[in-house]
Amino acid sequence: MAAQQSSVPSSEQLEGSLSYWTTVVNRWQNRWCVLKEDGYLYYYASKEKMKRAVHKGRIRLKRAILGPEEHEPDNISFTIVLEKQTYKFQASSEEEKEKWIKSLRETIQQFSVGLHM
């Protein structure tokens, strides 16, 4: 599970450690996540990899839907659902989860304005 607190640097909306469910090995893996003002959530193997701009992936948040992760018994997991893929994340606490949900929701609304869904 994620251990580090999130922070808000000047060029990004939010960054911090989240666990990401990977179907490759069917388990949670820690990822350093950065929600940028370009409407994407980038995830990195570590904060050090982020500093070298080597991301493992990115999620375009335009038209995304946020939701709770219904298959997890905790209250710290959430999903980002796109048309063809669902991403599962887990925060270190309910407070951290709410920070991420709030920022993600604001970004989704910002980049989905005027779209007919």
Side-chain angles (χ1 to χ4, degrees):
M1 199 164 22
Q4 296 183 356
Q5 296 292 318
S6 60
S7 60
V8 183
S10 59
S11 62
E12 286 88 25
Q13 292 181 340
L14 184 65
E15 76 172 62
S17 181
L18 290 171
S19 293
Y20 170 73
W21 181 261
T22 174
T23 55
V24 175
V25 293
N26 288 321
R27 67 181 175 97
W28 293 103
Q29 293 188 324
N30 286 332
R31 294 288 180 249
W32 189 258
C33 298
V34 181
L35 178 58
K36 294 193 176 185
E37 293 177 346
D38 63 359
Y40 285 85
L41 175 65
Y42 294 81
Y43 52 97
Y44 303 83
S46 66
K47 190 173 184 178
E48 292 71 34
K49 296 273 186 183
M50 180 214 47
K51 292 177 182 176
R52 291 185 271 158
V54 181
H55 67 270
K56 301 235 2 129
R58 68 181 185 163
I59 303 169
R60 183 179 185 203
L61 296 171
K62 187 176 186 179
R63 296 186 178 170
I65 298 170
L66 292 176
E69 176 46 50
E70 297 169 1
H71 303 291
E72 293 295 321
D74 59 47
N75 198 22
I76 58 174
S77 299
F78 62 94
T79 57
I80 300 173
V81 180
L82 301 176
E83 187 176 316
K84 297 181 181 182
Q85 189 162 2
T86 298
Y87 298 88
K88 299 178 186 180
F89 289 94
Q90 194 173 67
S92 60
S93 67
E94 287 184 45
E95 181 181 326
E96 280 295 303
K97 174 189 164 186
E98 292 308 315
K99 273 191 218 178
W100 280 99
I101 293 288
K102 181 178 185 286
S103 292
L104 288 163
R105 190 168 283 130
E106 289 171 358
T107 301
I108 290 167
Q109 288 173 350
Q110 176 185 352
F111 285 90
S112 299
V113 169
L115 293 176
H116 298 286
M117 298 171 126

